[in-house]
Amino acid sequence: MTTPPRYRPIAFGSCTLQVTKNAKGHTYVQATETPKEYPLRLTDRLIHWAQTAPDRTFMARRDEHGDWRKVSYAQALETARHIGQTLLDRKLSVDRPVLILSDNDLEHGLLALGCQYVGIPYAPLSPAYSLLSQDFAKLQHAVNTLTPGLVFSSSSEAFAKAIDTTLAGDVEWVVTKASSTPRKATLFSQLEATAVTPEVDAAFAATGPDTIVKFLFTSGSTGLPKAVVNTQRMLCSSMQMVLQAWPFLADEPPVFLDWLPWNHTFGGNHSVGIALFNGGTMYIDDGKPTPALIGETIRNLHEISPTAYFNVPKGWEEVAKALEADPVLCKKYYSRLKVQFYAGASLSQPVWDKLEATAEATCGERIAMTSGLGMTETAPCALFVMKNNVRAGEVGLPLPGMILKLVPNGDKLELRYRGPNVMPGYWRAPEQTKAVFDEEGYLCSGDALKWIDPNDPNAGFMFDGRVAEDFKLNSGTWVSVGPLRLRAANEGAPYLQDSVVTGHDRSELGLLILPNIEQCRRLAQAGADASAADVLAAPPVREFFQGMVNRLYRQGTGGATKVERALILIDPPSLDKGEITDKGAINQRAMLTHRAAQVQALYNNTTKDLITPEKD
C-alpha cells in the first residue's frame, strides 16, 4: 500500500457549496460562508499597519549598489500623503488620472499609494507598450481612453520616444532621475517634498467603496485592450476572500519575493494586495523568467525566504530547475515557505514533480502548490484551491461572496460571475460593458469549468478551457482546446514553451509548436551564435518534437483529441500583433489570425518542416 505524501501543515479555509438550478438549466454555485467585514478602502490597512507596526518593512528593492532599499509602513503612509497633496495641486481627477509607464519599483509603489490616498485613479501600463512596441498603438489607445494629466516613468531616456509620440506637451512628465531629454520633466523627489495641507485629509475622507483606484488594461485578446475599472470595494472584498481561504496569512506577516508586473491583476492586485492587507513585506524582484534575468531571481531567493511564493508556469519551470541543482538554495527557499501558487496558464506535471522532489529531499515534506481562477474584471480572485493534494488543472471552489453561474454552451459549462469584487464596467466603453454582462447582471468570463466529481460538488472544479477558443472540426465534432494544450505542455516539457491548436472547420487536429528556444539550444548543443532556424532544425530537437507528436497522437481517442500534424514556429509571438502578453501568455485567436499562411501550409503539406505522427 502506497504511503500518502506528507505536506507541511497549513490552515486552509473550509468551504461548503450551495448549488441550485433554474428552469433554463443554469446552475448557480456559491459558498455557504459569507465574506467577513472588510475595510472601506485598502488605504485603511496602510494606516492600520503604519500605526501598529510603523517600522516594519512594507516594500524593498535593491539599489544600484545591490543593497536592499527599504520603505517602512510609516514611511509609506507619510510619503503617500505628500504625493497626494502634489496630485491635488495638479487638479488631477478621474478624468485626468495618473499614467505609469515603467516597471515595478519603489517610486511606482509610492505613487500608487499617493493616488489611492486622495482618490485619484492611476493606470499602470505594460512597459512593453513603450519599450518593445514599434508603433505605440496600444499606448496611444490607452492615452486616448484615459486622457491622463500626469505620466510617470522611472527612466527618462528609455521612455522619451514613446512619450513624445503619444502625449501632448502639456501633460506633466515625472521621472526618478534627471535626464538630458529635450522634454521638460519633474523629478519624483519634488512630489515627495510637497507640504501637506488639510486638503489631503479631506480628500481621503471623501474616498469610499465606489472610489476608482485604478484602471487595468486587459491583454486585448480581441481588438485593443479595454480599461477595467478597479474600485476600492473590488480590491478590499477580494483580499478578504483570500484571507478566508488562506487564514494562515493572519498568523504572521507574510513575506513575498515577487516579480509579477503590477500592470497585471496577478501582481498588482493579488500579490501587492495580500501584502498590504495583511501587513506583509514585499521584496521587489528585478528578475524575470527569462534566460537573461532568471539569475537575479535566484540571487534574491538565496537571500529572501518567502512565506508564500507566486509565479506563472514559465517562472516555476526556471525556479524548479534551479532548486534541483542547488541544495543551498533549497534550504533557504523552503525554510519558512507555507504555500506555492501558480496562475496564468497550466503548470506541467514534470515541473510539479521536480518541486515536490526537491521539497521532500530538503525538508522531508511537500509544500502545497495551489492555484485558482479569476480575471482582471474580478480583481482578480474568484475561485481558490483550498487543499494540499492538487492535480494540474484544478481551480478549486468559489470564494466567500462569489456566485458562479454555469451556463451550458455546447458540451461545456460557461462560467459567469457575480460578487462584490466584480468590476462595474470598462472605462468609457458602454457598449463593451453592456456586452460582457448577461441579462441577470453576471459577468461573462469566457472560461469553462467542469466538476471534478459531478456527484460531489464540494470536490470543486477543473478548468475546461476558453469557450471562445474551442471549435468544431468539419465533422461537427467539438475540440476542447484547453485540455489538449495541457497534454501538450506535459509531453513537451521542457522544450515546448506553448502551443496553438489548429483545425477549425478542417478534418484533422494540428499544432503550432512554440519552442523554448534556450532549452532547444542546449538540446542541440548549439552555440550562442546559432540562429533559431539552425537550432530548431537540429536532429535532437526534431527528434524530440517528433516523439512529442507521436505521444499526443497515441493518447488521442478520436478525431477531436488526436494530433495529426504539427509545425515548429521559428518566429516568436509578436507583442504588437497581440499574440503574446508581457507575462508570456499566448493569445490563441491572435496567433491563428496572424499565422494563417502557416496554418494553411500545415494542412496543404506545403512545408518541409511538417511533423506527422509515426503510426503503427
Side-chain angles (χ1 to χ4, degrees):
M1 182 174 178
T2 304
T3 304
R6 176 187 170 194
Y7 284 88
R8 180 166 291 177
I10 185 174
F12 285 112
S14 59
C15 183
T16 303
L17 298 187
Q18 175 184 318
V19 182
T20 59
K21 284 190 175 184
N22 67 10
K24 295 181 179 180
H26 301 163
T27 303
Y28 300 83
V29 185
Q30 60 184 309
T32 55
E33 182 182 5
T34 57
K36 296 177 181 177
E37 186 176 356
Y38 49 84
L40 298 178
R41 55 220 151 193
L42 206 52
T43 37
D44 289 340
R45 300 303 285 169
L46 175 63
I47 294 171
H48 170 79
W49 296 115
Q51 292 172 344
T52 60
D55 297 327
R56 183 184 301 159
T57 299
F58 170 41
M59 282 190 176
R61 183 184 180 228
R62 291 192 190 275
D63 61 20
E64 62 270 24
H65 305 295
D67 299 320
W68 288 104
R69 176 187 162 205
K70 300 178 179 181
V71 176
S72 70
Y73 274 93
Q75 290 170 330
L77 175 59
E78 184 64 19
T79 304
R81 288 169 53 79
H82 285 278
I83 292 173
Q85 181 67 61
T86 303
L87 304 180
L88 294 172
D89 291 346
R90 265 66 167 179
K91 307 299 181 186
L92 301 180
S93 66
V94 69
D95 294 315
R96 298 180 64 243
V98 171
L99 192 62
I100 300 176
L101 302 185
S102 51
D103 224 329
N104 309 357
D105 62 21
L106 295 178
E107 289 75 20
H108 181 155
L110 292 168
L111 178 56
L113 288 176
C115 288
Q116 285 194 51
Y117 197 85
V118 295
I120 293 171
Y122 66 99
L125 292 187
S126 167
Y129 289 4
S130 303
L131 302 180
L132 299 182
S133 175
Q134 299 303 307
D135 58 12
F136 303 121
K138 290 184 178 180
L139 175 58
Q140 188 67 68
H141 169 70
V143 168
N144 295 344
T145 301
L146 299 178
T147 59
L150 181 147
V151 60
F152 167 76
S153 65
S154 57
S155 165
S156 49
E157 286 86 351
F159 289 87
K161 181 178 179 181
I163 287 173
D164 288 339
T165 302
T166 60
L167 285 152
D170 60 348
V171 177
E172 185 176 8
W173 182 21
V174 176
V175 297
T176 304
K177 294 181 180 180
S179 74
S180 58
T181 54
R183 184 174 180 135
K184 180 182 177 182
T186 303
L187 287 178
F188 186 85
S189 57
Q190 293 179 239
L191 276 60
E192 300 174 292
T194 304
V196 177
T197 74
E199 188 181 8
V200 168
D201 294 319
F204 172 77
T207 63
D210 294 317
T211 300
I212 297 175
V213 175
K214 65 174 85 170
F215 304 105
L216 284 180
F217 280 81
T218 61
S219 298
S221 55
T222 55
L224 289 167
K226 301 180 287 289
V228 178
V229 173
N230 280 232
T231 66
Q232 289 285 4
R233 178 183 289 105
M234 291 170 63
L235 299 184
C236 292
S237 63
S238 183
M239 290 302 98
Q240 180 59 41
M241 291 175 183
V242 172
L243 180 57
Q244 289 177 234
W246 287 356
F248 62 85
L249 290 169
D251 295 340
E252 65 173 320
V255 175
F256 304 145
L257 174 74
D258 200 277
W259 70 270
L260 294 163
W262 294 346
N263 54 279
H264 284 279
T265 191
F266 190 6
N269 286 350
H270 179 271
S271 299
V272 175
I274 293 176
L276 178 56
F277 200 81
N278 298 284
T281 298
M282 167 68 73
Y283 287 90
I284 299 171
D285 179 15
D286 287 328
K288 283 184 173 61
T290 65
L293 295 174
I294 189 60
E296 180 64 15
T297 293
I298 304 308
R299 172 198 182 194
N300 291 334
L301 284 173
H302 269 285
E303 291 188 25
I304 307 301
S305 298
T307 59
Y309 193 64
F310 313 131
N311 219 322
V312 296
K314 174 57 179 170
W316 279 117
E317 179 184 326
E318 296 293 342
V319 169
K321 185 168 59 177
L323 289 168
E324 189 179 43
D326 190 343
V328 175
L329 176 64
C330 286
K331 189 172 181 179
K332 186 72 175 179
Y333 175 71
Y334 289 119
S335 62
R336 59 178 177 180
L337 190 66
K338 294 182 176 180
V339 69
Q340 303 170 117
F341 185 92
Y342 75 93
S346 295
L347 185 64
S348 71
Q349 196 60 49
V351 173
W352 206 309
D353 293 342
K354 281 184 183 180
L355 291 166
E356 290 180 339
T358 53
E360 289 179 326
T362 303
C363 46
E365 57 191 0
R366 296 179 181 181
I367 308 298
M369 171 63 80
T370 69
S371 188
L373 188 64
M375 53 196 306
T376 307
E377 290 85 342
T378 63
C381 308
L383 294 93
F384 253 39
V385 175
M386 291 176 266
K387 60 181 181 180
N388 282 320
N389 195 12
V390 183
R391 289 184 293 160
E394 286 191 46
V395 293
L397 301 162
L399 292 166
M402 288 301 304
I403 306 176
L404 312 184
K405 179 180 177 182
L406 304 176
V407 178
N409 187 328
D411 61 350
K412 288 184 178 287
L413 292 174
E414 179 194 341
L415 172 62
R416 302 179 184 182
Y417 296 114
R418 192 160 77 185
N421 57 327
V422 173
M423 69 165 188
Y426 299 114
W427 185 244
R428 294 175 174 168
E431 292 304 315
Q432 290 176 313
T433 298
K434 182 179 179 182
V436 80
F437 288 97
D438 71 11
E439 69 284 356
E440 291 186 285
Y442 282 81
L443 175 74
C444 302
S445 73
D447 291 329
L449 298 181
K450 60 182 177 182
W451 297 101
I452 292 175
D453 181 352
N455 298 315
D456 179 13
N458 292 306
F461 292 100
M462 297 286 291
F463 183 66
D464 200 24
R466 295 277 298 167
V467 173
E469 290 178 351
D470 292 349
F471 58 86
K472 286 183 179 180
L473 298 173
N474 60 13
S475 63
T477 305
W478 277 101
V479 174
S480 188
V481 169
L484 182 56
R485 289 179 68 203
L486 177 58
R487 282 202 292 129
N490 287 330
E491 295 297 334
Y495 305 109
L496 176 78
Q497 186 64 53
D498 211 326
S499 61
V500 177
V501 181
T502 68
H504 185 274
D505 286 339
R506 299 180 186 272
S507 60
E508 295 178 347
L509 273 185
L511 279 186
L512 298 180
I513 293 171
L514 281 73
N516 182 325
I517 193 65
E518 293 306 317
Q519 290 285 0
C520 289
R521 188 178 298 276
R522 294 188 186 97
L523 179 62
Q525 297 183 344
D529 57 342
S531 68
D534 289 340
V535 168
L536 298 175
V541 175
R542 293 286 299 184
E543 288 168 11
F544 174 83
F545 286 116
Q546 179 67 64
M548 184 193 85
V549 172
N550 292 347
R551 293 190 295 276
L552 291 173
Y553 174 81
R554 289 195 296 267
Q555 292 168 6
T557 57
T561 56
K562 281 183 175 290
V563 174
E564 297 276 1
R565 54 189 65 234
L567 176 66
I568 304 173
L569 297 181
I570 297 174
D571 297 327
S574 164
L575 177 79
D576 281 342
K577 294 178 180 178
E579 294 179 334
I580 191 172
T581 71
D582 57 348
K583 281 197 308 182
I586 298 298
N587 182 331
Q588 294 272 311
R589 187 181 300 183
M591 287 287 296
L592 290 170
T593 298
H594 296 293
R595 310 288 177 131
Q598 289 166 297
V599 173
Q600 189 66 41
L602 177 66
Y603 284 92
N604 286 349
N605 300 334
T606 56
T607 171
K608 63 181 177 61
D609 297 319
L610 176 69
I611 299 175
T612 56
E614 296 168 339
K615 303 177 183 179
D616 296 333

